[in-house]
Amino acid sequence: MLNNLILVLNCGSSSLKFSILNPDSEKKYLFGLVERLFLPDTSVTWQYLEKKYQVCIGSNMSHENALDFVLNHIFLQAEKIFKRIIGIGHRVVHGGHKINKSTLINENIINIINDSVCFAPLHNPSNLIGIKIAMNKYPHLIKKNVAVFDTSFYNNIPKTSFLYAIPYRFYKKYHIRRYGAHGISHHYVSCKTALLLNKKFSSLNIITCHLGNGCSISAICNGTCVDTSMGLTPLEGLVMGTRSGDIDPSVIFFMHRKLNLSIDEIEVILTKKSGLLGLSEVSSDFRYFEKNYTLKKSAKISVDIFCHRLAKYISAYMSLMENRLDALVFTGGIGENVPLIRQLTLSKLSLIGFKLDFKKNLSLKSGKSGLISSKNSHMVFVIPTNEELAIAKETISIIHKT
Ligand code: ADP
């Protein structure tokens, strides 16, 4: 078992994460990230045998270009460990209404993921590129490709959370409902929280905030997710890097009717040009906002809106906790690395029992888990997510079952 490795591909909308790891020992042998796809200076960073590498692979590189570099250059470097790979795990954002759990990939599953593109237009197409290229490149593993879905974690959210207040037939006939996303990460940090608190998962009452390029928040009560901020697609909810999150749908009618923007143009605005990027008109990278919070008005207001929305969701989700909150959890690139966000958000929540320990918040090292609340507060943890490990564990368990 200890010899068995899993290759994990996480083909995101503008990035590609890859790793080769052992799901049992949790040892990562090789891992890396391609960033800035479709932008100038697409770059790849990776680590193999404790050594770090970084190269620019060109400008405006696509997922296909990035996979070509990763599979044909980086993985060649790792030929020795490659022989030990017994399966390939793929992150897939949306399974639509037809798939609700991790599954071996075959033609039918590919078709279902394809049919669900309308629910995750930024993500499912790139997820499919990763799947097809991996299946082609490694024919000996063709029956060992597993899709792990971000939507699976939300299988049991109640109708009160997942139904939109629109004519019921749109749900019955067209499956328009809230599906949630980022479930792999919310589930992973929930399991870690249960371990930290020494509690059974089934009795866990927590709120988890995944704050990365995409941002979402989930309410978990008695070990079941009872609400989450992402909706039909990963566009609803919190303010994100380039996505608007919640807006009045009439904004779309206004843009279309008064500004003559097409539906496609509006989709691009709301998914790729809004959020922190839209508000600041400079960047979606949180490092920029951290640096400029006290220096630039537009950076400050963008961050303040981000935290205002987050605090509103946390307060709302407190009402779903059935009289007890075990912990609030921050994770994702921003949640793990930006003390300012945690401080600004929690400062709005003292009335409902949150108090930050400023020293702990500031001194928590990147990549480490820790408690950042003071004694007379609900517990607040920072817990690094590890979607790749979660996907590898799911992949091996599905492979062993078949
Ligand atoms: P994804 O949703 O693509 O998985 P990540 O979880 O990697 O995203 O988070 C990306 C976000 O986290 C970006 O806004 C990035 O600027 C921010 N981020 C990552 N590391 C840091 C850091 N050390 N300091 C500040 N912001 C960070």
Side-chain angles (χ1 to χ4, degrees), residues 13 22 32 119 141-142 208 211 220 231-232 251 256 258 273 317 334 364 372-373 376 394 398:
S13 54
N22 185 315
F119 299 133
L141 293 172
I142 198 156
T208 51
L211 310 175
I220 292 128
L232 176 75
V251 171
H256 184 56
K258 293 270 186 205
K273 297 186 174 170
Y317 284 2
I334 298 170
L364 190 68
I372 55 162
S373 48
N376 51 351
E394 275 289 291
I398 298 286

Side-chain angles (χ1 to χ4, degrees), residues 10 14-15 17 33 35 91 182 210-215 241 243 276 284-290 331-338 366 385 387:
N10 178 352
S14 60
S15 70
K17 291 179 182 159
L33 168 70
E35 284 179 291
R91 178 190 180 197
H182 282 152
H210 176 103
L211 310 175
N213 283 314
C215 300
R243 281 172 253 165
L276 293 166
S284 64
D285 188 330
F286 223 90
R287 292 175 189 96
Y288 166 82
F289 294 93
E290 235 188 340
T331 193
I334 298 170
E336 293 164 29
N337 295 300
V338 189
S366 184
T385 194
E387 287 156 304

